């Protein structure tokens, strides 16, 4: 999380915590430190399960803290683990505060992709908000910074992104332009990221996580995967099923689905989210849109953007940029008030400023998000994408007319078409042994990024899994449903599924 001022200036538009900087402005002023003290390299051959050399994380003058940090060398390419090319990842550990009742080690991924993990442990207020006391008491909590994020070597993707090409191509020529635009951004990211750029997928990150597990000497771990973290959870479970003690997945992505089906289901969820936001505004006198027709206003704003009547500085804003910004604001009820105010201001002024913190165009981290997610969601290459996208546009717009088909999975499908690194993932349901540890799936009834159908699909693939559905708005339970999180904490600590799980 970031301070409230930073929250107003930037937001990630990514799976899970794409809105977390904005929520930070709504609920607290939190600063996640991203300072790692250098750690000495472990002695002995690195490929023989090197130990982690821990040191204090705090910068000079900071208050003493229990978290310890290290840097850990891993193969750049896990298909050639003995090769000479390696990269370094940051690791942090918060020891259990009640060691006499310690259960084990808990790994987590808070989503994104593009968010780091280490910062969640370094700031006390952040970790106390994110990890309930029972987790901090009973587990050593370990953060493994995903490649290209946080304090790891950066990808150095260029910003801002290209807004001159529509992400909703109406015909093959427009789709070809989009593919070329994506390829240009990908080529620039490849130049900035070097060899690292091709090794960012969840299978690679899962192997990094397991290398840290081995270095810690842990036989089995517990794991929390939130949104994009659910994709990492699947990769880890499939590669290392015997290493999992317990797993909680919140904001579940069903990786058995095609990019088209992901986008269609997500579009329907976004349309439902618009309806929920409109109902909230009608019921809340403090909303800036309390006495307004919210759907009518959104339609009017998108139409005005079509006529170049809404500006970002001197640049006319595309209607799809406004739709994307609104989608970000639908991620949590904590954002509804700010979103309503911003929409009213854009309507009154014809300028984007109030809505800008919700947009990808103003998010310097977005290209790194694209570089990572495109390696895990297969979309057609070049000519295939140019042929398939226009019909897919018509489908999602029919399903979700208010925001003209915008959803996060449309953002992924349209943004990854033409990406220079092809995804090596083939859509499939979880492939784990019959005796794999039970998985608790947390699912919001009105989640606009990972709709309930995703969790239901994963549950069918995992006979030992359970779905705990919470009836509320927002993407993921972890910041939107404390009661659901508490139930998940109970499962992690004593392996008893919540009574309400189905």
């Amino acid at each position: 999380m970031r301070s409230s001022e930073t929250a107003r200036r930037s937001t990630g538009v990514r799976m899970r915590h794409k809105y977390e900087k904005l929520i930070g402005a709504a609920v607290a002023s939190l600063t996640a430190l991203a300072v790692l003290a250098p750690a000495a390299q472990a002695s002995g051959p690195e490929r023989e399960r090197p130990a982690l050399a821990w040191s204090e994380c705090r910068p000079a003058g900071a208050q003493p803290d229990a978290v310890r940090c290290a840097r850990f060398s891993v193969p750049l390419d896990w298909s050639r683990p003995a090769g000479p090319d390696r990269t370094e990842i940051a690791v942090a550990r918060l020891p259990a505060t009640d060691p006499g009742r310690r259960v084990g080690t808990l790994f987590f991924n808070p989503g994104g992709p593009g968010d780091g993990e280490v910062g969640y442990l370094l700031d006390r207020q952040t970790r106390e908000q994110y990890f309930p006391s029972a987790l901090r008491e009973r587990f050593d909590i370990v953060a493994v910074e995903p490649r290209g994020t946080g304090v790891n070597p950066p990808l150095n993707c260029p910003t801002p992104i290209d807004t001159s090409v529509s992400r909703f191509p109406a015909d093959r020529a427009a789709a070809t332009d989009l593919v070329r635009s994506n390829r240009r951004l990908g080529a620039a990211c490849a130049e900035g990221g070097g060899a690292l750029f091709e090794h960012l997928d969840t299978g690679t990150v899962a192997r990094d996580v397991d290398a840290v597990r081995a270095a810690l000497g842990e036989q089995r771990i517990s794991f929390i995967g939130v949104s994009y973290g659910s994709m990492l959870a699947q990769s880890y479970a499939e590669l290392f099923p015997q290493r999992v003690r317990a797993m909680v997945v919140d904001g579940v992505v069903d990786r058995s689905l095609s990019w088209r089906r992901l986008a269609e289901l997500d579009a329907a969820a976004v349309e439902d989210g618009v309806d929920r936001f409109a109902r909230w505004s009608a019921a809340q006198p403090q909303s800036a849109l309390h006495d307004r027709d919210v759907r009518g206003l959104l339609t009017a704003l998108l139409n005005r953007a079509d006529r170049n009547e809404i500006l970002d500085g001197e640049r006319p804003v595309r209607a799809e940029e406004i739709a994307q910004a609104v989608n970000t604001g639908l991620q949590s009820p904590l954002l509804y008030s700010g979103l309503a105010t911003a929409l009213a201001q854009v309507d009154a002024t014809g300028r984007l400023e109030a809505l800008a913190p919700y947009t990808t165009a103003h998010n310097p981290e977005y290209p790194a998000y694209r570089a990572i997610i495109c390696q895990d969601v297969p979309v057609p290459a070049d000519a295939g994408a140019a042929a398939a996208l226009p019909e897919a546009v018509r489908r999602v717009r029919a399903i979700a007319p208010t925001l003209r088909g915008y959803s996060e999975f449309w953002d992924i499908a349209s943004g990854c078409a033409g990406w220079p690194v092809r995804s090596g993932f083939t859509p499939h349901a979880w492939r784990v042994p019959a005796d794999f540890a039970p998985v608790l799936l947390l699912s919001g009834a009105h989640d606009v990024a990972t709709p309930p159908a995703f969790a239901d699909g994963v549950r069918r693939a995992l006979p030992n899994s359970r779905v705990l559905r919470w009836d509320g708005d927002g993407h993921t339970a972890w910041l939107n449903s404390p009661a659901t999180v508490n139930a998940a904490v109970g499962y992690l600590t004593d392996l008893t599924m919540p009574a309400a799980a189905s």
Side-chain angles (χ1 to χ4, degrees):
M1 293 193 179
R2 300 292 185 263
S3 69
S4 57
E5 182 58 28
T6 303
R8 282 187 280 270
R9 289 197 304 264
S10 66
T11 181
V13 181
R14 297 163 302 193
M15 292 164 64
R16 179 58 193 150
H17 298 177
K18 53 181 162 283
Y19 55 93
E20 201 166 71
K21 298 181 183 72
L22 287 166
I23 289 180
V27 298
S29 176
L30 302 175
T31 303
L33 302 176
V35 180
L36 288 174
Q41 292 294 319
S43 60
E46 281 192 333
R47 298 184 185 94
E48 296 178 5
R49 207 182 85 178
L52 286 156
W54 299 106
S55 62
E56 291 190 2
C57 311
R58 60 193 176 104
Q63 292 295 315
D65 193 71
V67 180
R68 292 294 179 265
C69 291
R71 293 195 180 267
F72 190 63
S73 176
V74 293
L76 180 68
D77 181 354
W78 276 103
S79 70
R80 298 191 300 166
D85 297 327
R86 303 184 72 80
T87 190
E88 199 172 58
I89 56 175
V91 184
R93 179 175 63 179
L94 176 67
T97 60
D98 189 351
R101 300 172 63 230
R102 178 183 178 274
V103 172
T105 296
L106 175 67
F107 286 69
F108 71 101
N109 182 277
D115 284 352
E117 296 182 12
V118 168
Y120 283 76
L121 294 186
L122 295 187
D123 181 77
R124 295 184 191 220
Q125 191 173 359
T126 300
R127 70 189 184 223
E128 289 175 4
Q129 180 181 3
Y130 198 81
F131 300 103
S133 59
L135 292 182
R136 289 180 279 112
E137 291 167 1
R138 306 291 298 279
F139 289 93
D140 293 344
I141 302 176
V142 174
V144 179
E145 202 90 300
R147 296 176 179 213
T149 72
V151 295
N152 283 342
L155 293 174
N156 295 319
C157 289
T159 54
I161 64 168
D162 181 11
T163 58
S164 67
V165 178
S166 174
R167 302 287 290 278
F168 287 84
D171 53 36
R172 188 170 188 135
T176 298
D177 288 343
L178 174 61
V179 166
R180 290 171 178 165
S181 174
N182 291 340
R183 185 165 289 278
R184 287 193 296 270
L185 175 60
C189 284
E191 182 177 357
L196 180 66
F197 176 70
E198 297 186 6
H199 304 286
L200 303 170
D201 62 286
T202 55
T204 294
V205 176
R207 288 177 171 87
D208 291 347
V209 169
D210 199 62
V212 173
R213 175 207 57 78
L216 290 170
E218 294 286 348
Q219 291 301 305
R220 295 196 301 164
I221 63 170
S222 300
F223 188 88
I224 300 170
V226 181
S227 196
Y228 163 78
S230 74
M231 299 167 67
L232 177 58
Q234 179 173 346
S235 288
Y236 189 86
E238 292 181 341
L239 289 167
F240 308 106
Q242 73 282 7
R243 299 302 184 190
V244 177
R245 168 191 169 270
M247 184 171 277
V248 170
V249 178
D250 180 18
V252 186
V253 178
D254 184 353
R255 302 185 77 189
S256 73
L257 301 176
S258 69
W259 65 269
R260 288 182 182 85
R261 191 60 181 149
L262 289 167
E264 289 169 0
L265 290 170
D266 202 11
V270 171
E271 190 71 10
D272 173 64
V274 170
D275 182 63
R276 302 283 292 186
F277 172 61
R279 293 184 187 185
W280 175 88
S281 286
Q284 300 295 327
Q286 72 270 25
S287 171
L289 303 180
H290 174 61
D291 57 352
R292 304 284 298 273
D293 172 5
V294 171
R295 286 184 184 275
L297 172 63
L298 292 174
T299 298
L301 287 175
L302 269 58
N303 289 340
R304 288 175 62 186
D306 289 338
R307 299 190 297 268
N308 297 329
E309 294 175 2
I310 297 179
L311 300 178
D312 182 9
E314 300 303 315
R315 179 182 67 87
V317 173
R318 287 185 174 275
E320 61 205 58
E321 294 180 68
I322 295 174
Q324 176 267 303
V326 172
N327 180 72
T328 297
L330 298 178
Q331 303 292 316
S332 172
L334 294 171
L335 300 179
Y336 284 2
S337 180
L339 176 62
T341 299
L343 288 170
Q345 291 178 5
V346 172
D347 182 47
T349 65
R351 305 197 65 83
L352 186 70
E353 277 82 350
L355 206 57
Y358 297 79
T359 65
T360 53
H362 287 263
N363 173 24
E365 298 173 355
Y366 176 75
Y369 159 82
R370 180 93 67 83
I372 296 170
I373 198 65
C374 288
Q375 296 188 25
D376 275 296
V377 179
V379 299
D382 299 358
L389 285 174
E391 176 56 32
V393 168
R394 288 186 279 274
R395 286 280 302 160
V396 296
R397 285 189 161 172
I399 293 168
T402 307
L403 296 185
R404 301 184 181 179
Y406 187 88
S407 72
E408 178 148 19
F409 275 98
W410 180 259
D411 181 275
I412 293 169
S414 63
C416 293
W419 200 252
V421 179
R422 301 288 300 144
S423 171
F425 184 85
T426 300
H428 66 269
W430 288 48
R431 297 168 180 165
V432 294
D435 61 350
F436 184 71
V439 180
L440 179 60
L441 308 170
L442 310 183
S443 174
H446 302 281
D447 190 321
V448 297
T450 51
F454 290 4
D456 294 339
V458 172
R459 186 194 184 284
R460 288 191 292 270
L462 291 173
N464 289 338
S465 67
R466 302 284 182 87
V467 173
L468 181 58
R469 181 150 293 138
W470 53 282
D471 186 15
D473 299 343
H475 174 40
T476 76
W478 220 257
L479 285 181
N480 292 305
S481 179
T484 306
V485 172
N486 287 339
V489 170
Y491 169 62
L492 289 168
T493 54
D494 62 22
L495 299 181
T496 301
M497 281 286 182
S502 61

